[in-house]
Amino acid sequence: MKVVVSQEIEQVCPRFVGSIVDAQVVNTPFCQPLWDEIHALESRFREQLTTESLKDLSGIAATRRVYKACGKDPSRYRPASEALIRRMLQGKELYQIDTLVDLINLASIAYGYSIGGFDADKFQGDTLTLGIGREGEPYEGIGRGMLNIAGLPVYRDAIGGVGTPTSDNERTKITLSTTHLVVLINGYDGQEEQVQANARFIQDLIRKYCKSDGGTVALYR
C-alpha cells in the first residue's frame, strides 16, 4: 500500500512524518497478557498525568494544533490518543474490542499518537492519500454514525475516507476475521525517531499476541 501526503497537509503541517506497519496477523477476541500490559501503563500514567497535562504530550499537542489549523475544534472532536488517555485518567475502563484493536489502543496511549488500524483487504485501490475533510463528505465513524469530517485530516482510498485521527471508518474496520493488518501512525510533531519507535512497538505487540512475524514498516512524509 502506497501512502501519499497531500499539499493540503504539507501546508498546515510541513513537519509531518508517518509510518505504515503492514502485516499478516491472526486476531482473537481477547488476550489477557495484552491487557496486563494495558493495566500496567494505566497505573503509570495515572501517577504521571492529569486530564490537562496530557494535552502537552508532543503527539497530542501537535495533532490539536493541526486540527485548529484545519478549522476543527480539538476539544469537540478529540484526537483518539487524547480521548483514550483522558478516559483512562478519569478512572474509566478502556473499551475491550478484540486483540488487534486493543493493542493499537495500547500503542496509541503509550506514544500519544493517533493511530489508524485497518483491515487492508477492505481498501479500494493501492494508494491512500492523506488530505483534509470537506463539507458534506460522507463518513461513517466506527460506533459513531455519520461524522462531520470537514476540517479533519483524513486518509482516503480510491472511493473515500477510511481514517481520521478522531475515528476510523466502518467500511475498513478490523474484525475477528481480519488477517491483513495495516496500521498508520500520525506524527504531526515531526519526531521521526518517536514515530519509528511506535512502529517497532506495534510490531513487537503483534509478534507476541497475533501470531505474526511483525510485517514491514515504512516511513512517509
Side-chain angles (χ1 to χ4, degrees):
M1 182 61 62
K2 180 181 178 182
V3 185
V4 176
V5 179
S6 70
Q7 289 187 344
E8 290 178 308
I9 294 296
E10 290 178 355
Q11 289 173 356
V12 297
C13 188
R15 298 180 60 217
F16 175 85
V17 58
S19 183
I20 178 171
V21 180
D22 189 321
Q24 296 297 315
V25 294
V26 175
N27 200 5
T28 54
F30 178 77
C31 178
Q32 185 60 57
L34 171 62
W35 274 89
D36 291 342
E37 288 198 44
I38 292 171
H39 290 315
L41 186 62
E42 283 178 344
S43 297
R44 189 164 79 247
F45 271 27
R46 284 173 183 157
E47 294 175 354
Q48 298 173 345
L49 295 173
T50 68
T51 54
E52 285 303 312
S53 67
L54 76 89
K55 297 176 185 177
D56 297 327
L57 295 175
S58 177
I60 291 173
T63 306
R64 290 175 64 89
R65 286 194 298 271
V66 168
Y67 272 34
K68 290 177 181 178
C70 293
K72 209 68 168 178
D73 180 357
S75 294
R76 183 177 179 189
Y77 294 86
R78 295 188 192 279
S81 53
E82 179 184 348
L84 287 167
I85 299 173
R86 185 180 181 86
R87 181 176 181 84
M88 180 183 69
L89 295 176
Q90 290 173 335
K92 300 175 182 177
E93 282 291 323
L94 296 181
Y95 298 110
Q96 192 276 313
I97 308 298
D98 58 50
T99 299
L100 284 175
V101 174
D102 297 343
L103 74 80
I104 290 167
N105 286 343
L106 170 58
S108 181
I109 291 167
Y111 284 82
Y113 292 123
S114 289
I115 299 175
F118 309 92
D119 185 327
D121 290 336
K122 297 176 181 176
F123 289 143
Q124 299 297 309
D126 62 1
T127 302
L128 297 175
T129 302
L130 177 58
I132 298 174
R134 298 181 289 265
E135 287 292 342
E137 183 172 359
Y139 189 93
E140 185 178 1
I142 297 174
R144 301 172 67 108
M146 298 307 293
L147 188 66
N148 175 13
I149 64 167
L152 284 179
V154 57
Y155 288 95
R156 300 182 180 96
D157 66 4
I159 63 173
V162 298
T164 75
T166 290
S167 175
D168 292 331
N169 197 302
E170 282 279 352
R171 176 167 62 87
T172 50
K173 75 176 182 180
I174 292 166
T175 67
L176 285 175
S177 61
T178 296
T179 58
H180 184 187
L181 175 70
V182 159
V183 180
L184 302 176
I185 303 168
N186 296 284
Y188 289 100
D189 60 358
Q191 293 193 18
E192 182 176 318
E193 288 186 3
Q194 280 293 94
V195 170
Q196 288 181 315
N198 202 168
R200 290 193 297 270
F201 182 64
I202 291 169
Q203 285 186 296
D204 288 342
L205 290 174
I206 62 175
R207 286 190 191 104
K208 286 192 289 186
Y209 304 127
C210 300
K211 297 181 180 179
S212 174
D213 65 2
T216 61
V217 172
L219 289 174
Y220 56 92
R221 51 167 53 92

